[in-house]
Amino acid sequence: MNRPRLAVGATLACAGLLAVGCSSPSQQAAPAEQAATVNVALSDAGCSPTPATVPSGPVTFAVTNSGSAAVTEAELQAAGKILGEKENITQGLNGTFALRLEPGTYSVYCPGGQKDTWTFTVTGTGPAAPTAAPDTNVADATTKYHDYVVSEVNLLQPATKTFTDAVRAGDMAKAEAAFGAAREHYESIEPVAESFGDLDPDIDARADDVDDPAKWTGFHRIEKALWQDRSLAGMAPIADKLDADIATLKANVATATYQPAQLANGASDLLTEVSTSKVTGEEDRYSHTDLWDFAANIAGARTAFELLMPALQAKDADLAQQTEARFVDVTQQLARFKQGDGYVDYSTVGDADRRTLANSVNALAEPLSQVAGKVV
C-alpha cells in the first residue's frame, strides 16, 4: 500500500525490525498448537480488536467490513513498524492475517476511522517452551527469505541509480527506459518496504496517496514528470531523495528478521497489489509499465511461497499442490504479454485479457490466503 503510515509506538519484550516476537527456530510451534482469533470489525468509528488481549503465541486476525466506505484496512503495529495487515477490505469483504506474537503492547491501526488507533495486548512472560521438535523447514525458509530480500535491494539500488542519473542529466529517453527495470526489484519485496513506516510512501506513493502535492516524492512523481508533464525540470532533488530512501531501505533489510507467517502474509499482500492497482492500470497510470510491476509482485509472492513449500507440504500437501498449480497458471497468463526483456504497454491490453489476468490472480489468492494459518 502507498498511503502514508502513522508511526505508533509499542513496548515489546524484544526488539527487531520485523521480528514479531523475535522467534528463533527453536521457538516454532508444534503443528497442533491452537491459534487465538481476534476479530477486527472495520467501521467509520474505527477497528476495535475483540478480544483486545490474548496470550502469547499464534494469533489470527479476522478483518471484516460490514458497511464502512472510509475504513478499508487494518494493521498491527509495534514500535512504528507494520507487522501484519489486511488492505482493501471494502464493504462486504473480509480477510485474515496470522502472526506469532510475544508479550507486549501493540497497536491496531485503521486509517480513516474516527478513532484510528487501538491498543492490543499480548500477555505472558515470554516464549512458550516448544511442544515438539523445531521445524527446520520454516527456519530455513525465513533465513533464505532474508537473503532474497537483501539480494533484491542490492539489485534495486544500482538499477534506481541508473534511472535517477538519467533524471539528473535531463535525459528523458534514458530515464523512461530505466523506469520499469528499477521498479521491478522494488515491487518484488514491497510488503517488506511497507513495514518501515513512511519509507514506502516516500518511495512509491501515487498522486492520490498524498495530501500535499508539493510533498509528493518517489518513483511515481518522476513518472508523471516523464510521461505526462514531459519535463524533468525540478526533478533532481526528487531523484536525490529517491536514492537516499533506497539506501535507507538497504540498511533496514540488512538486519531484518522474519516469521514464516510473514512470508505467507507478504505473498498475499503482493497479490492484493496486483488485483487492486496493477490489473486496473492504476499503479503506473502515466507510463503504462504496470505489467513490469505485476510480474515482480507475482515473482516475489512465488519466492516466499516456494520457500515455505517444504513446511506446508508436511502439513497440507493438497493446499501446497493447489497453490503451486495456480502460480503456474498466473505466470503462463502473464508470459503472453512479454516483449523483449520487458512487457507490452499496458494500455494495449484489452478488457477481456485484463479480466483473464484478474481471474487468474483471484484463483491464486484464495489458497494462498490459507498458507499463513498453516505455518504460524
Side-chain angles (χ1 to χ4, degrees):
M1 189 196 78
N2 300 312
R3 183 185 302 119
R5 306 287 188 173
L6 175 67
V8 180
T11 303
L12 295 177
C14 56
L17 287 174
L18 288 180
V20 187
C22 307
S23 300
S24 68
S26 64
Q27 295 165 356
Q28 299 299 333
E33 188 174 2
Q34 186 66 40
T37 298
V38 176
N39 295 307
V40 182
L42 304 181
S43 70
D44 292 347
C47 53
S48 175
T50 306
T53 301
V54 298
S56 60
V59 182
T60 297
F61 293 84
V63 185
T64 60
N65 184 342
S66 60
S68 178
V71 182
T72 60
E73 171 187 358
E75 303 171 0
L76 185 73
Q77 298 187 350
K81 298 179 179 65
I82 302 160
L83 308 178
E85 64 181 339
K86 206 65 186 176
E87 300 176 322
N88 299 295
I89 306 298
T90 54
Q91 297 179 53
L93 297 184
N94 59 77
T96 64
F97 64 92
L99 293 164
R100 172 172 288 277
L101 299 176
E102 287 192 8
T105 301
Y106 300 76
S107 296
V108 175
Y109 172 55
C110 49
Q114 293 170 10
K115 177 179 178 181
D116 60 14
T117 304
W118 302 73
T119 299
F120 180 71
T121 304
V122 178
T123 61
T125 57
T131 57
D135 187 339
T136 56
N137 288 325
V138 294
D140 188 52
T142 55
T143 298
K144 288 181 177 177
Y145 188 69
H146 169 271
D147 295 344
Y148 169 72
V149 171
V150 169
S151 70
E152 284 296 288
V153 177
N154 285 342
L155 293 170
L156 169 66
Q157 192 169 40
T160 301
K161 191 169 188 304
T162 297
F163 171 64
T164 55
D165 281 349
V167 171
R168 283 183 285 264
D171 190 333
M172 293 185 62
K174 187 175 181 180
E176 288 178 356
F179 180 76
R183 285 181 50 73
E184 185 176 23
H185 301 295
Y186 185 78
E187 290 290 329
S188 67
I189 59 161
E190 188 166 11
V192 176
E194 286 182 343
S195 69
F196 300 118
D198 286 337
L199 193 55
D200 174 65
D202 286 349
I203 293 171
D204 203 39
R206 298 183 294 270
D208 44 347
D209 297 322
V210 294
D211 295 328
D212 183 355
K215 296 181 179 179
W216 183 21
T217 63
F219 279 115
H220 293 302
R221 175 64 189 93
I222 301 174
E223 179 198 8
K224 179 178 181 292
L226 286 167
W227 277 275
Q228 179 168 297
D229 301 339
R230 304 304 301 166
S231 171
L232 289 172
M235 287 298 104
I238 305 296
D240 292 344
K241 177 169 170 48
L242 181 56
D243 284 337
D245 288 337
I246 298 300
T248 299
L249 177 63
K250 182 176 181 177
N252 286 351
V253 302
T255 55
T257 58
Y258 308 91
Q259 289 187 27
Q262 285 178 297
L263 274 64
N265 290 334
S268 292
D269 289 345
L270 284 167
L271 288 193
T272 299
E273 286 285 325
V274 172
S275 64
T276 59
S277 62
K278 274 66 171 185
V279 167
T280 63
E282 173 189 346
E283 179 80 2
D284 299 310
R285 63 191 68 171
Y286 311 110
S287 63
H288 307 300
T289 56
D290 303 85
L291 289 172
W292 287 84
D293 292 359
F294 190 132
N297 286 160
I298 296 300
R302 192 169 188 177
T303 296
F305 169 74
E306 289 185 345
L307 289 173
L308 292 171
M309 272 277 277
L312 182 61
Q313 285 175 323
K315 296 181 179 181
D316 193 332
D318 289 343
L319 179 62
Q321 182 179 24
Q322 180 188 38
T323 308
E324 175 61 21
R326 292 184 181 177
F327 265 116
V328 170
D329 178 63
V330 172
T331 303
Q332 290 175 341
Q333 294 292 340
L334 187 59
R336 297 187 294 125
F337 305 100
K338 284 284 290 182
Q339 185 178 72
D341 294 331
Y343 292 86
V344 301
D345 184 307
Y346 194 56
S347 66
T348 67
V349 178
D351 289 344
D353 283 330
R354 293 189 184 200
R355 283 193 296 271
T356 299
L357 286 169
N359 290 339
S360 184
V361 170
N362 290 336
L364 168 60
E366 193 280 324
L368 188 60
S369 69
Q370 302 176 44
V371 174
K374 300 288 184 178
V375 300
V376 71

mmCIF file of all heavy atoms in Angstrom, residues 36-38 40 58-63 73-77 82-87 89 94-101 107-109 261-262 264-266 268-269 369 372-373 376:
data_model
loop_
_atom_site.group_PDB
_atom_site.id
_atom_site.type_symbol
_atom_site.label_atom_id
_atom_site.label_comp_id
_atom_site.label_asym_id
_atom_site.label_seq_id
_atom_site.Cartn_x
_atom_site.Cartn_y
_atom_site.Cartn_z
ATOM 1 N N ALA A 36 -5.039 -18.211 18.667
ATOM 2 C CA ALA A 36 -6.114 -17.344 19.135
ATOM 3 C C ALA A 36 -6.659 -16.573 17.936
ATOM 4 O O ALA A 36 -5.939 -16.272 16.993
ATOM 5 C CB ALA A 36 -5.579 -16.371 20.177
ATOM 6 N N THR A 37 -7.950 -16.270 17.988
ATOM 7 C CA THR A 37 -8.579 -15.487 16.921
ATOM 8 C C THR A 37 -9.008 -14.139 17.465
ATOM 9 O O THR A 37 -9.672 -14.057 18.508
ATOM 10 C CB THR A 37 -9.798 -16.219 16.329
ATOM 11 O OG1 THR A 37 -9.371 -17.447 15.738
ATOM 12 C CG2 THR A 37 -10.476 -15.364 15.263
ATOM 13 N N VAL A 38 -8.630 -13.078 16.779
ATOM 14 C CA VAL A 38 -9.011 -11.718 17.150
ATOM 15 C C VAL A 38 -9.851 -11.150 16.012
ATOM 16 O O VAL A 38 -9.421 -11.116 14.856
ATOM 17 C CB VAL A 38 -7.768 -10.833 17.374
ATOM 18 C CG1 VAL A 38 -8.177 -9.393 17.659
ATOM 19 C CG2 VAL A 38 -6.928 -11.386 18.518
ATOM 20 N N VAL A 40 -11.538 -8.125 14.056
ATOM 21 C CA VAL A 40 -11.343 -6.691 13.842
ATOM 22 C C VAL A 40 -12.425 -6.231 12.867
ATOM 23 O O VAL A 40 -12.337 -6.477 11.662
ATOM 24 C CB VAL A 40 -9.949 -6.385 13.284
ATOM 25 C CG1 VAL A 40 -9.763 -4.881 13.112
ATOM 26 C CG2 VAL A 40 -8.862 -6.954 14.187
ATOM 27 N N PRO A 58 0.545 -18.102 18.565
ATOM 28 C CA PRO A 58 -0.033 -17.799 17.253
ATOM 29 C C PRO A 58 -1.368 -17.078 17.384
ATOM 30 O O PRO A 58 -2.201 -17.432 18.213
ATOM 31 C CB PRO A 58 -0.202 -19.182 16.621
ATOM 32 C CG PRO A 58 -0.284 -20.129 17.762
ATOM 33 C CD PRO A 58 0.573 -19.549 18.845
ATOM 34 N N VAL A 59 -1.557 -16.057 16.547
ATOM 35 C CA VAL A 59 -2.779 -15.258 16.573
ATOM 36 C C VAL A 59 -3.244 -15.034 15.139
ATOM 37 O O VAL A 59 -2.448 -14.661 14.271
ATOM 38 C CB VAL A 59 -2.561 -13.881 17.253
ATOM 39 C CG1 VAL A 59 -3.871 -13.095 17.317
ATOM 40 C CG2 VAL A 59 -1.970 -14.056 18.645
ATOM 41 N N THR A 60 -4.529 -15.260 14.894
ATOM 42 C CA THR A 60 -5.127 -14.971 13.599
ATOM 43 C C THR A 60 -6.048 -13.769 13.741
ATOM 44 O O THR A 60 -6.910 -13.738 14.617
ATOM 45 C CB THR A 60 -5.932 -16.171 13.071
ATOM 46 O OG1 THR A 60 -5.049 -17.270 12.872
ATOM 47 C CG2 THR A 60 -6.616 -15.831 11.753
ATOM 48 N N PHE A 61 -5.847 -12.754 12.901
ATOM 49 C CA PHE A 61 -6.685 -11.563 12.900
ATOM 50 C C PHE A 61 -7.696 -11.685 11.765
ATOM 51 O O PHE A 61 -7.317 -11.797 10.593
ATOM 52 C CB PHE A 61 -5.833 -10.306 12.726
ATOM 53 C CG PHE A 61 -4.929 -10.017 13.895
ATOM 54 C CD1 PHE A 61 -3.688 -10.634 14.000
ATOM 55 C CD2 PHE A 61 -5.335 -9.166 14.908
ATOM 56 C CE1 PHE A 61 -2.848 -10.392 15.085
ATOM 57 C CE2 PHE A 61 -4.512 -8.911 16.000
ATOM 58 C CZ PHE A 61 -3.268 -9.531 16.097
ATOM 59 N N ALA A 62 -8.979 -11.703 12.128
ATOM 60 C CA ALA A 62 -10.063 -11.805 11.151
ATOM 61 C C ALA A 62 -10.661 -10.419 10.952
ATOM 62 O O ALA A 62 -11.298 -9.867 11.867
ATOM 63 C CB ALA A 62 -11.121 -12.782 11.644
ATOM 64 N N VAL A 63 -10.448 -9.843 9.781
ATOM 65 C CA VAL A 63 -10.849 -8.468 9.496
ATOM 66 C C VAL A 63 -12.107 -8.477 8.637
ATOM 67 O O VAL A 63 -12.153 -9.137 7.596
ATOM 68 C CB VAL A 63 -9.725 -7.711 8.766
ATOM 69 C CG1 VAL A 63 -10.100 -6.242 8.574
ATOM 70 C CG2 VAL A 63 -8.405 -7.830 9.527
ATOM 71 N N GLU A 73 -8.945 -0.942 5.875
ATOM 72 C CA GLU A 73 -7.651 -1.562 6.152
ATOM 73 C C GLU A 73 -7.413 -1.639 7.651
ATOM 74 O O GLU A 73 -7.796 -0.737 8.407
ATOM 75 C CB GLU A 73 -6.545 -0.726 5.493
ATOM 76 C CG GLU A 73 -5.148 -1.121 5.868
ATOM 77 C CD GLU A 73 -4.103 -0.164 5.323
ATOM 78 O OE1 GLU A 73 -4.494 0.788 4.606
ATOM 79 O OE2 GLU A 73 -2.913 -0.351 5.622
ATOM 80 N N ALA A 74 -6.760 -2.721 8.084
ATOM 81 C CA ALA A 74 -6.328 -2.850 9.469
ATOM 82 C C ALA A 74 -4.878 -3.301 9.494
ATOM 83 O O ALA A 74 -4.470 -4.162 8.706
ATOM 84 C CB ALA A 74 -7.199 -3.844 10.221
ATOM 85 N N GLU A 75 -4.105 -2.709 10.397
ATOM 86 C CA GLU A 75 -2.697 -3.060 10.550
ATOM 87 C C GLU A 75 -2.412 -3.386 12.011
ATOM 88 O O GLU A 75 -2.993 -2.769 12.908
ATOM 89 C CB GLU A 75 -1.791 -1.892 10.152
ATOM 90 C CG GLU A 75 -1.977 -1.378 8.751
ATOM 91 C CD GLU A 75 -1.200 -0.096 8.510
ATOM 92 O OE1 GLU A 75 -0.524 0.374 9.462
ATOM 93 O OE2 GLU A 75 -1.267 0.442 7.396
ATOM 94 N N LEU A 76 -1.493 -4.307 12.250
ATOM 95 C CA LEU A 76 -0.923 -4.489 13.576
ATOM 96 C C LEU A 76 0.458 -3.858 13.557
ATOM 97 O O LEU A 76 1.279 -4.189 12.694
ATOM 98 C CB LEU A 76 -0.824 -5.961 13.954
ATOM 99 C CG LEU A 76 -0.339 -6.174 15.397
ATOM 100 C CD1 LEU A 76 -1.438 -5.815 16.405
ATOM 101 C CD2 LEU A 76 0.144 -7.604 15.625
ATOM 102 N N GLN A 77 0.697 -2.932 14.484
ATOM 103 C CA GLN A 77 1.947 -2.205 14.517
ATOM 104 C C GLN A 77 2.642 -2.390 15.857
ATOM 105 O O GLN A 77 2.007 -2.626 16.883
ATOM 106 C CB GLN A 77 1.722 -0.713 14.296
ATOM 107 C CG GLN A 77 1.116 -0.355 12.956
ATOM 108 C CD GLN A 77 1.071 1.149 12.735
ATOM 109 O OE1 GLN A 77 1.323 1.939 13.650
ATOM 110 N NE2 GLN A 77 0.757 1.557 11.525
ATOM 111 N N ILE A 82 4.965 -1.866 10.785
ATOM 112 C CA ILE A 82 3.795 -2.685 10.457
ATOM 113 C C ILE A 82 4.213 -4.151 10.487
ATOM 114 O O ILE A 82 5.092 -4.575 9.730
ATOM 115 C CB ILE A 82 3.241 -2.311 9.079
ATOM 116 C CG1 ILE A 82 2.869 -0.832 9.045
ATOM 117 C CG2 ILE A 82 2.044 -3.176 8.717
ATOM 118 C CD1 ILE A 82 2.768 -0.263 7.654
ATOM 119 N N LEU A 83 3.570 -4.915 11.349
ATOM 120 C CA LEU A 83 3.912 -6.332 11.498
ATOM 121 C C LEU A 83 3.020 -7.225 10.649
ATOM 122 O O LEU A 83 3.428 -8.299 10.214
ATOM 123 C CB LEU A 83 3.809 -6.732 12.968
ATOM 124 C CG LEU A 83 4.580 -5.822 13.935
ATOM 125 C CD1 LEU A 83 4.371 -6.269 15.363
ATOM 126 C CD2 LEU A 83 6.055 -5.809 13.590
ATOM 127 N N GLY A 84 1.799 -6.803 10.457
ATOM 128 C CA GLY A 84 0.848 -7.541 9.638
ATOM 129 C C GLY A 84 -0.290 -6.618 9.284
ATOM 130 O O GLY A 84 -0.583 -5.659 10.011
ATOM 131 N N GLU A 85 -0.949 -6.887 8.142
ATOM 132 C CA GLU A 85 -2.028 -6.008 7.715
ATOM 133 C C GLU A 85 -2.946 -6.723 6.740
ATOM 134 O O GLU A 85 -2.595 -7.754 6.158
ATOM 135 C CB GLU A 85 -1.473 -4.753 7.046
ATOM 136 C CG GLU A 85 -0.708 -5.028 5.769
ATOM 137 C CD GLU A 85 -0.143 -3.770 5.131
ATOM 138 O OE1 GLU A 85 -0.640 -2.673 5.424
ATOM 139 O OE2 GLU A 85 0.798 -3.897 4.337
ATOM 140 N N LYS A 86 -4.136 -6.168 6.598
ATOM 141 C CA LYS A 86 -5.057 -6.590 5.546
ATOM 142 C C LYS A 86 -5.633 -5.337 4.938
ATOM 143 O O LYS A 86 -6.221 -4.501 5.634
ATOM 144 C CB LYS A 86 -6.176 -7.486 6.103
ATOM 145 C CG LYS A 86 -6.725 -8.424 5.044
ATOM 146 C CD LYS A 86 -5.670 -9.417 4.601
ATOM 147 C CE LYS A 86 -6.172 -10.259 3.434
ATOM 148 N NZ LYS A 86 -5.113 -11.154 2.934
ATOM 149 N N GLU A 87 -5.446 -5.199 3.622
ATOM 150 C CA GLU A 87 -5.863 -3.991 2.921
ATOM 151 C C GLU A 87 -7.042 -4.280 2.006
ATOM 152 O O GLU A 87 -7.372 -5.428 1.729
ATOM 153 C CB GLU A 87 -4.710 -3.452 2.072
ATOM 154 C CG GLU A 87 -3.476 -3.090 2.845
ATOM 155 C CD GLU A 87 -2.336 -2.657 1.941
ATOM 156 O OE1 GLU A 87 -2.159 -3.241 0.858
ATOM 157 O OE2 GLU A 87 -1.628 -1.718 2.327
ATOM 158 N N ILE A 89 -10.196 -4.067 2.273
ATOM 159 C CA ILE A 89 -11.381 -4.761 2.786
ATOM 160 C C ILE A 89 -12.549 -3.786 2.676
ATOM 161 O O ILE A 89 -12.891 -3.074 3.622
ATOM 162 C CB ILE A 89 -11.173 -5.239 4.244
ATOM 163 C CG1 ILE A 89 -9.911 -6.093 4.356
ATOM 164 C CG2 ILE A 89 -12.387 -6.030 4.727
ATOM 165 C CD1 ILE A 89 -9.941 -7.372 3.543
ATOM 166 N N ASN A 94 -14.033 -9.539 3.650
ATOM 167 C CA ASN A 94 -13.310 -9.919 4.854
ATOM 168 C C ASN A 94 -11.977 -10.524 4.452
ATOM 169 O O ASN A 94 -11.753 -10.872 3.287
ATOM 170 C CB ASN A 94 -14.125 -10.908 5.698
ATOM 171 C CG ASN A 94 -14.448 -12.171 4.937
ATOM 172 O OD1 ASN A 94 -13.603 -13.049 4.765
ATOM 173 N ND2 ASN A 94 -15.687 -12.284 4.456
ATOM 174 N N GLY A 95 -11.089 -10.639 5.410
ATOM 175 C CA GLY A 95 -9.786 -11.231 5.162
ATOM 176 C C GLY A 95 -9.090 -11.521 6.470
ATOM 177 O O GLY A 95 -9.548 -11.090 7.542
ATOM 178 N N THR A 96 -7.992 -12.257 6.410
ATOM 179 C CA THR A 96 -7.265 -12.616 7.628
ATOM 180 C C THR A 96 -5.764 -12.435 7.424
ATOM 181 O O THR A 96 -5.265 -12.451 6.301
ATOM 182 C CB THR A 96 -7.524 -14.080 8.031
ATOM 183 O OG1 THR A 96 -7.016 -14.957 7.018
ATOM 184 C CG2 THR A 96 -8.999 -14.337 8.255
ATOM 185 N N PHE A 97 -5.059 -12.281 8.535
ATOM 186 C CA PHE A 97 -3.608 -12.444 8.548
ATOM 187 C C PHE A 97 -3.224 -13.059 9.877
ATOM 188 O O PHE A 97 -3.933 -12.916 10.884
ATOM 189 C CB PHE A 97 -2.859 -11.125 8.279
ATOM 190 C CG PHE A 97 -3.037 -10.046 9.318
ATOM 191 C CD1 PHE A 97 -2.144 -9.918 10.383
ATOM 192 C CD2 PHE A 97 -4.074 -9.125 9.221
ATOM 193 C CE1 PHE A 97 -2.293 -8.903 11.326
ATOM 194 C CE2 PHE A 97 -4.227 -8.106 10.157
ATOM 195 C CZ PHE A 97 -3.334 -8.001 11.211
ATOM 196 N N ALA A 98 -2.134 -13.810 9.876
ATOM 197 C CA ALA A 98 -1.724 -14.552 11.065
ATOM 198 C C ALA A 98 -0.289 -14.202 11.428
ATOM 199 O O ALA A 98 0.545 -13.951 10.557
ATOM 200 C CB ALA A 98 -1.847 -16.055 10.811
ATOM 201 N N LEU A 99 -0.002 -14.199 12.735
ATOM 202 C CA LEU A 99 1.334 -13.905 13.241
ATOM 203 C C LEU A 99 1.561 -14.683 14.526
ATOM 204 O O LEU A 99 0.608 -15.123 15.173
ATOM 205 C CB LEU A 99 1.490 -12.412 13.537
ATOM 206 C CG LEU A 99 1.475 -11.455 12.348
ATOM 207 C CD1 LEU A 99 1.242 -10.030 12.828
ATOM 208 C CD2 LEU A 99 2.771 -11.548 11.558
ATOM 209 N N ARG A 100 2.818 -14.825 14.894
ATOM 210 C CA ARG A 100 3.171 -15.335 16.219
ATOM 211 C C ARG A 100 3.651 -14.155 17.046
ATOM 212 O O ARG A 100 4.578 -13.446 16.655
ATOM 213 C CB ARG A 100 4.265 -16.406 16.113
ATOM 214 C CG ARG A 100 4.838 -16.846 17.463
ATOM 215 C CD ARG A 100 5.762 -18.031 17.311
ATOM 216 N NE ARG A 100 4.980 -19.222 17.012
ATOM 217 C CZ ARG A 100 4.369 -19.966 17.937
ATOM 218 N NH1 ARG A 100 4.449 -19.620 19.215
ATOM 219 N NH2 ARG A 100 3.688 -21.027 17.598
ATOM 220 N N LEU A 101 2.982 -13.928 18.178
ATOM 221 C CA LEU A 101 3.243 -12.734 18.974
ATOM 222 C C LEU A 101 3.778 -13.073 20.344
ATOM 223 O O LEU A 101 3.289 -14.006 20.993
ATOM 224 C CB LEU A 101 1.954 -11.912 19.111
ATOM 225 C CG LEU A 101 1.343 -11.410 17.807
ATOM 226 C CD1 LEU A 101 0.030 -10.692 18.083
ATOM 227 C CD2 LEU A 101 2.300 -10.504 17.068
ATOM 228 N N SER A 107 -0.394 -2.037 18.658
ATOM 229 C CA SER A 107 -1.460 -1.136 18.225
ATOM 230 C C SER A 107 -2.133 -1.700 16.984
ATOM 231 O O SER A 107 -1.456 -2.175 16.070
ATOM 232 C CB SER A 107 -0.914 0.256 17.905
ATOM 233 O OG SER A 107 -0.381 0.867 19.059
ATOM 234 N N VAL A 108 -3.458 -1.641 16.973
ATOM 235 C CA VAL A 108 -4.228 -1.921 15.771
ATOM 236 C C VAL A 108 -4.589 -0.567 15.172
ATOM 237 O O VAL A 108 -5.201 0.271 15.828
ATOM 238 C CB VAL A 108 -5.492 -2.740 16.081
ATOM 239 C CG1 VAL A 108 -6.347 -2.906 14.835
ATOM 240 C CG2 VAL A 108 -5.115 -4.105 16.647
ATOM 241 N N TYR A 109 -4.203 -0.374 13.922
ATOM 242 C CA TYR A 109 -4.369 0.923 13.261
ATOM 243 C C TYR A 109 -5.246 0.767 12.032
ATOM 244 O O TYR A 109 -5.037 -0.138 11.223
ATOM 245 C CB TYR A 109 -2.988 1.459 12.856
ATOM 246 C CG TYR A 109 -3.012 2.696 11.993
ATOM 247 C CD1 TYR A 109 -3.685 3.846 12.392
ATOM 248 C CD2 TYR A 109 -2.322 2.721 10.784
ATOM 249 C CE1 TYR A 109 -3.687 4.982 11.591
ATOM 250 C CE2 TYR A 109 -2.308 3.862 9.980
ATOM 251 C CZ TYR A 109 -2.995 4.987 10.390
ATOM 252 O OH TYR A 109 -2.997 6.115 9.593
ATOM 253 N N ALA A 261 4.978 -16.937 9.000
ATOM 254 C CA ALA A 261 3.687 -16.366 8.629
ATOM 255 C C ALA A 261 3.847 -15.045 7.896
ATOM 256 O O ALA A 261 3.019 -14.697 7.046
ATOM 257 C CB ALA A 261 2.810 -16.174 9.869
ATOM 258 N N GLN A 262 4.908 -14.309 8.185
ATOM 259 C CA GLN A 262 5.120 -13.044 7.480
ATOM 260 C C GLN A 262 5.421 -13.271 6.009
ATOM 261 O O GLN A 262 5.029 -12.473 5.158
ATOM 262 C CB GLN A 262 6.254 -12.257 8.136
ATOM 263 C CG GLN A 262 5.847 -11.599 9.447
ATOM 264 C CD GLN A 262 7.008 -10.885 10.087
ATOM 265 O OE1 GLN A 262 7.997 -11.511 10.451
ATOM 266 N NE2 GLN A 262 6.891 -9.576 10.214
ATOM 267 N N ALA A 264 4.144 -15.701 4.227
ATOM 268 C CA ALA A 264 2.851 -16.006 3.620
ATOM 269 C C ALA A 264 1.967 -14.771 3.549
ATOM 270 O O ALA A 264 1.309 -14.512 2.528
ATOM 271 C CB ALA A 264 2.153 -17.112 4.402
ATOM 272 N N ASN A 265 1.942 -13.981 4.620
ATOM 273 C CA ASN A 265 1.156 -12.742 4.598
ATOM 274 C C ASN A 265 1.658 -11.809 3.501
ATOM 275 O O ASN A 265 0.873 -11.173 2.792
ATOM 276 C CB ASN A 265 1.252 -12.025 5.946
ATOM 277 C CG ASN A 265 0.528 -12.748 7.061
ATOM 278 O OD1 ASN A 265 -0.407 -13.494 6.826
ATOM 279 N ND2 ASN A 265 0.977 -12.536 8.289
ATOM 280 N N GLY A 266 2.986 -11.704 3.377
ATOM 281 C CA GLY A 266 3.554 -10.828 2.366
ATOM 282 C C GLY A 266 3.213 -11.277 0.955
ATOM 283 O O GLY A 266 2.937 -10.452 0.075
ATOM 284 N N SER A 268 0.506 -12.871 0.082
ATOM 285 C CA SER A 268 -0.898 -12.483 -0.131
ATOM 286 C C SER A 268 -1.023 -10.988 -0.397
ATOM 287 O O SER A 268 -1.824 -10.554 -1.237
ATOM 288 C CB SER A 268 -1.743 -12.882 1.087
ATOM 289 O OG SER A 268 -1.850 -14.282 1.192
ATOM 290 N N ASP A 269 -0.227 -10.186 0.316
ATOM 291 C CA ASP A 269 -0.255 -8.739 0.106
ATOM 292 C C ASP A 269 0.169 -8.377 -1.318
ATOM 293 O O ASP A 269 -0.380 -7.445 -1.926
ATOM 294 C CB ASP A 269 0.667 -8.034 1.105
ATOM 295 C CG ASP A 269 0.138 -8.062 2.528
ATOM 296 O OD1 ASP A 269 -1.060 -8.366 2.707
ATOM 297 O OD2 ASP A 269 0.924 -7.795 3.456
ATOM 298 N N SER A 369 -4.119 -17.452 0.610
ATOM 299 C CA SER A 369 -4.529 -16.796 1.854
ATOM 300 C C SER A 369 -4.572 -17.758 3.031
ATOM 301 O O SER A 369 -4.590 -17.325 4.184
ATOM 302 C CB SER A 369 -5.913 -16.144 1.673
ATOM 303 O OG SER A 369 -6.921 -17.133 1.527
ATOM 304 N N ALA A 372 -0.625 -18.812 5.633
ATOM 305 C CA ALA A 372 -0.109 -18.263 6.892
ATOM 306 C C ALA A 372 -0.642 -19.019 8.102
ATOM 307 O O ALA A 372 0.077 -19.312 9.048
ATOM 308 C CB ALA A 372 -0.440 -16.777 6.996
ATOM 309 N N GLY A 373 -1.934 -19.352 8.066
ATOM 310 C CA GLY A 373 -2.533 -20.092 9.173
ATOM 311 C C GLY A 373 -1.947 -21.475 9.352
ATOM 312 O O GLY A 373 -1.984 -22.042 10.462
ATOM 313 N N VAL A 376 1.980 -20.711 10.871
ATOM 314 C CA VAL A 376 2.199 -19.823 12.018
ATOM 315 C C VAL A 376 2.627 -20.582 13.269
ATOM 316 O O VAL A 376 3.321 -20.087 14.104
ATOM 317 C CB VAL A 376 0.933 -18.984 12.304
ATOM 318 C CG1 VAL A 376 -0.171 -19.849 12.886
ATOM 319 C CG2 VAL A 376 1.248 -17.823 13.209
#
